[in-house]
Amino acid sequence: MRATLRMAAAYSRKYASRARVLLYSLMPSFTLDNGLDVENLSHDRKVVETYKKDPLVTPMVSSALGLDIINTGRWVEEHGEDFTLPLLLMQGLGDHV
């Protein structure tokens, strides 16, 4: 059963990746919901409410921006050792964002 789920997930990722590239090429300004759960932005309710009321915040992301973020993330993972400045990067286990 697990092997079947892994194969289905790999199949899904393969075609999702192709769909992203197709959208990027044909309709770079096509927008989708970014899927961000704003309730998990902060434990401070005031911060969350301020974010929700900010007129400059949009829940949408273009296909071009989304694919650029994914590709840049991959590049950073592959070239992390090239970054020579001291850097402390931390993420908590309970971080949902």
Side-chain angles (χ1 to χ4, degrees), residues 3-93:
T4 303
L5 290 175
R6 281 195 301 269
M7 286 174 44
Y11 182 81
S12 176
R13 282 190 302 271
K14 175 182 174 184
Y15 286 100
S17 177
R18 288 182 180 170
R20 286 190 296 262
V21 171
L22 187 62
L23 277 173
Y24 185 91
S25 302
L26 298 177
M27 299 180 349
S29 61
F30 178 77
T31 57
L32 297 165
D33 189 289
N34 64 22
L36 178 65
D37 181 2
V38 298
E39 298 301 322
N40 286 317
L41 285 178
S42 175
H43 293 289
D44 185 342
R45 296 300 314 156
K46 186 176 178 184
V47 170
V48 173
E49 294 307 317
T50 300
Y51 180 86
K52 286 179 175 179
K53 293 176 184 173
D54 187 335
L56 300 177
V57 170
T58 178
M60 306 304 281
V61 64
S62 71
S63 57
L65 177 60
L67 193 59
D68 285 344
I69 289 170
I70 291 168
N71 290 338
T72 300
R74 287 182 184 143
W75 185 92
V76 167
E77 286 177 347
E78 293 168 4
H79 295 89
E81 67 276 356
D82 299 337
F83 190 77
T84 58
L85 296 173
L87 172 69
L88 174 62
L89 182 62
M90 298 172 60
Q91 178 180 355
L93 294 175

